[in-house]
Amino acid sequence: EMQLVESGGGLVQPGGSLRLSCAASGFNFNAFWMSWVRQAPGKGLEWVASINPDGSEKYYVDSVKGRFTISRDNAKNSQFLQMNSLRDGDTAVYHCARGWMYCGLWGRGTLVTVSS
Amino acid sequence: DIVMTQSPDSLAVSLGERATINCKSSQSILYSSTNKNCLSWYQQKPGQPPKLLIYWASTRESGVPDRFSGSGSGTDFTLTISSLQAEDVAVYYCQQYYNVPRTFGHGTKVEIK
């Protein structure tokens, strides 16, 4: 069964850091672009970042550029999102998703709460 | 950034009736080299992650019931549920992948009348 499982969320103070992980299984991970999409409580979907199969291309939404870094470890079938200088507006469920154009596989997400 | 505008915000449809959701992009998302529209539709039920329904504006994802269909080109797109079932209660999002940043519509909530 193809699956994406996120971890690493939690409560963090403004200005703090978190590293999210996404473990992939059931498909050839190193053949796919991967993405992070977030959803603030009660709100819609917002694309955050994407990375190409070998990790050489990375794209970000403007609001996280310079603060978030997407990466992957193909040997471990995992992708990551390093989040620094967190703000209240970053509070959301962060979904790991497979794809660059459209995303055909999603994880259930991990909740990041930025609050003092 | 390309702005995706969905309408209506919500709609209530009787079981077995047709539901129509509109999505308008602020610029054309027709990729000229392939003549394909860079638009996808997702369904999100409460407490679940989004599920891909449609890509390239009209191609149904494997396993998606054929009562779901997508149409449109350029800047105007439609998701149609031909005969609403109880399990179709959800929020539906359109998304463009013509350029970066990828952007979503704000969502349309579909309920049973």
Side-chain angles (χ1 to χ4, degrees):
Chain A
E1 178 191 6
M2 297 181 294
Q3 196 172 11
L4 298 170
V5 179
E6 303 90 339
S7 60
L11 175 64
V12 61
Q13 292 187 338
S17 298
L18 276 179
R19 186 183 192 231
L20 306 185
S21 299
C22 170
S25 59
F27 64 95
N28 186 11
F29 178 77
N30 59 18
F32 288 89
W33 281 76
M34 296 297 295
S35 298
W36 289 95
V37 178
R38 67 185 179 183
Q39 188 167 30
K43 302 298 184 182
L45 302 168
E46 180 183 33
W47 171 80
V48 175
S50 297
I51 186 169
N52 73 334
D54 68 6
S56 62
E57 292 183 54
K58 303 174 184 181
Y59 298 91
Y60 302 90
V61 68
D62 280 353
S63 61
V64 309
K65 281 180 184 175
R67 300 189 299 123
F68 290 11
T69 302
I70 189 172
S71 62
R72 63 191 294 162
D73 184 340
N74 287 343
K76 295 183 178 179
N77 290 339
S78 295
Q79 73 155 344
F80 309 97
L81 188 68
Q82 177 65 45
M83 304 186 297
N84 299 330
S85 303
L86 283 161
R87 306 167 179 167
D88 290 351
D90 296 319
T91 293
V93 172
Y94 285 72
H95 294 280
C96 171
R98 186 184 73 182
W100 165 227
M101 295 184 290
Y102 49 87
C103 293
L105 181 65
W106 296 66
R108 299 192 67 87
T110 186
L111 176 62
V112 172
T113 303
V114 184
S115 175
S116 54
Chain B
D1 298 2
I2 297 177
V3 176
M4 306 300 290
T5 302
Q6 287 184 232
S7 62
D9 293 340
S10 64
L11 74 162
V13 176
S14 301
L15 289 172
E17 296 300 305
R18 179 184 300 260
T20 302
I21 300 169
N22 300 302
C23 176
K24 188 175 183 67
S25 57
S26 60
Q27 68 181 73
S28 175
I29 54 175
L30 174 63
Y31 195 49
S32 56
S33 61
T34 60
N35 200 35
K36 290 185 174 183
N37 290 279
C38 300
L39 184 102
S40 56
W41 288 97
Y42 297 88
Q43 174 193 65
Q44 188 176 31
K45 297 179 180 180
Q48 296 187 19
K51 174 188 175 183
L52 177 67
L53 298 176
I54 302 282
Y55 55 94
W56 296 124
S58 60
T59 301
R60 200 178 300 113
E61 172 73 329
S62 175
V64 172
D66 61 7
R67 64 180 180 273
F68 291 93
S69 64
S71 63
S73 185
T75 61
D76 292 281
F77 302 89
T78 300
L79 175 70
T80 301
I81 309 173
S82 61
S83 175
L84 191 74
Q85 305 300 303
E87 62 265 32
D88 301 334
V89 169
V91 178
Y92 293 83
Y93 296 93
C94 61
Q95 178 232 328
Q96 66 80 21
Y97 47 92
Y98 182 82
N99 65 12
V100 175
R102 306 311 198 205
T103 48
F104 291 86
H106 60 268
T108 295
K109 187 175 185 178
V110 173
E111 299 172 308
I112 304 295
K113 183 187 294 183

